[in-house]
Amino acid sequence: MTKEKSELLRGTLVSLVLSVIERRSLYGYEIAKEVRVRTGGILHLKEGSLYPALHAMERDGLLVAEWQAAAQGPSRKYYRLTRKGRSALRRRRSQWSEFRDATDAVLRTRPAEEATS
Amino acid sequence: MNSRIADYLNALEGRLAVPAERVALVVSELRSHVHDDLDDRMRAGIDEDRASEDAVAEMGDAEGVAGQFNQDYRKELGGAAMRRAIAAAQIVVVGVFAVMCGGLNGVTNILAAIGRATRLGLPPNETVLFAPVEGQPGAWLPNWEPGTWFDSWTHVVSFLHQHPAPVVLLELLLVMIAGLLAGYLVGRRGWAFGLIAVALPWMWVEASESLELTLLRIAAVVAGAELGSQLQQRGWRHWSLAAAAGVLGLAVVIGFVDTGLSEGFVKASIWWSIFIAAAVPIGLLVNLITQRWPAMRTCVSLRIERCHSSE
């Protein structure tokens, strides 16, 4: 992943996580996989960023976690949204739309267009 | 567990500089992660040796991954220390303010009562630090020499004693309780609008008598509300209710000791009961609206330029 993409991802990591566990509880590996699938493989959450972020979100009360025994292999820690997490997600979605539109407005304007407008 | 993965997890475990119980949780979580990753790769037809190599490579080098967890832990420690420092500073400020507003009078009366009861070798109704106020039975003024460190309090105490002190103090305590309850119930954003919307206009109208009194009332509301909000954020439900009950109890006791159940106390109690009843629903409504419609929160947050730009 390029440095630029990593920087962008860092700023949106919490929103992505909140969004993928909005409907159902998932554990770390599933969260990373879900993000990769939904973004067509463009975004890839590294474990070194994902797990510290999950733990911080748990501390902040956005998520609650529960260890569950797996039918096969080691136990898994499932994360689900709290009410605070849901309202944070709503807020982040709205902020993201605003930010994306604002950024687009700047990035899509080329010097030639400015000159003619 | 594949030996390559086990080695990786051991290396990671050795580099984690976090408490032991957290090391165990982190390693367990990463173990389940890499286990699933390995399974997926093998299901895709990759042989175990290669799959484990890829899964480990995917995780990143152990030092880097451990470094992220360590950094996160250091940040958490720093954040917790900062939060504790801020909370302590706020409690000190609120505490000092509460003492200035109400406690000093209570302490004065208690010390004076002790002085009266024990006489301390002095004539009745005279103590070392406090002297009775002429024409105001039960009220005591500081009796210390100008220029001592007590002197800086004198203005505040004298000001309070110029007014029917028990009523003013009880009112300030009740204002603080109102703020505390509203701050606790609706959070900072709620009190900022609910309390101020109701309290300030009323205070201003009522305050024609004294600017100092108005400022004291406003400061009492804000201090109480901030304390309530902090208590709410920390989930100290029982502490905040106990604090409110304690302050109210203290106010009642001081009221009885000082004046009996005076007309002023009853009036202040009624006023502030009405005030709490009016401020809290407004605060709750503001909180609800701003949570439900985030765009409105931006406007309500007085970031007017952003509202204009999004229109």
Side-chain angles (χ1 to χ4, degrees), chain A residues 58-112:
Chain A
E58 191 184 350
R59 277 197 302 277
D60 292 342
L62 301 176
L63 314 174
V64 283
E66 188 188 11
W67 283 94
Q68 286 179 19
Q72 227 182 358
S75 300
R76 286 153 181 170
K77 192 177 177 187
Y78 281 82
Y79 294 90
R80 70 179 162 80
L81 278 191
T82 60
R83 191 193 286 185
K84 189 176 171 189
R86 279 188 200 286
S87 78
L89 178 59
R90 270 200 302 274
R91 211 165 46 242
R92 282 173 172 270
R93 277 193 170 126
S94 146
Q95 284 168 350
W96 174 254
S97 305
E98 193 182 66
F99 180 79
R100 185 198 53 218
D101 292 347
T103 309
D104 279 352
V106 174
L107 295 183
R108 284 183 184 157
T109 311
R110 298 195 175 132

Side-chain angles (χ1 to χ4, degrees), chain B residues 12 23 29 45 48 93 120 152 180 194 209 212 215 238 257 262-263 270 292 295 310:
Chain B
L12 180 78
V23 170
E29 204 168 9
E48 185 179 350
V93 168
L120 294 171
S152 55
L180 192 147
E209 68 208 73
E212 280 169 301
L215 294 177
H238 303 300
V257 168
S262 72
E263 191 192 336
I270 292 170
R292 183 75 57 189
S310 63

Side-chain angles (χ1 to χ4, degrees), chain B residues 123-184:
Chain B
N125 292 335
E126 193 173 327
T127 61
V128 179
L129 285 178
F130 305 97
V133 181
E134 228 172 277
Q136 286 186 41
W140 292 71
L141 266 180
N143 197 23
W144 49 78
E145 290 296 319
T148 64
W149 70 271
F150 284 113
D151 199 34
S152 55
W153 294 87
T154 308
H155 176 74
V156 176
V157 177
S158 300
F159 160 73
L160 292 174
H161 276 276
Q162 280 161 18
H163 292 78
V167 176
V168 170
L169 294 171
L170 284 171
E171 187 183 322
L172 289 174
L173 286 171
L174 289 168
V175 173
M176 278 192 77
I177 296 169
L180 192 147
L181 287 176
Y184 174 75

Side-chain angles (χ1 to χ4, degrees), chain B residues 227-285:
Chain B
L227 179 63
S229 167
Q230 290 296 327
L231 290 168
Q232 182 215 38
Q233 283 172 30
R234 287 165 175 72
W236 294 350
R237 180 185 295 269
H238 303 300
W239 282 104
S240 69
L241 293 180
V247 176
L248 184 61
L250 187 67
V252 170
V253 168
I254 293 173
F256 270 114
V257 168
D258 244 10
T259 61
L261 194 57
S262 72
E263 191 192 336
F265 173 68
V266 173
K267 188 182 158 195
S269 303
I270 292 170
W271 258 117
W272 289 108
S273 303
I274 293 169
F275 170 66
I276 294 170
V280 170
I282 290 179
L284 283 171
L285 187 67

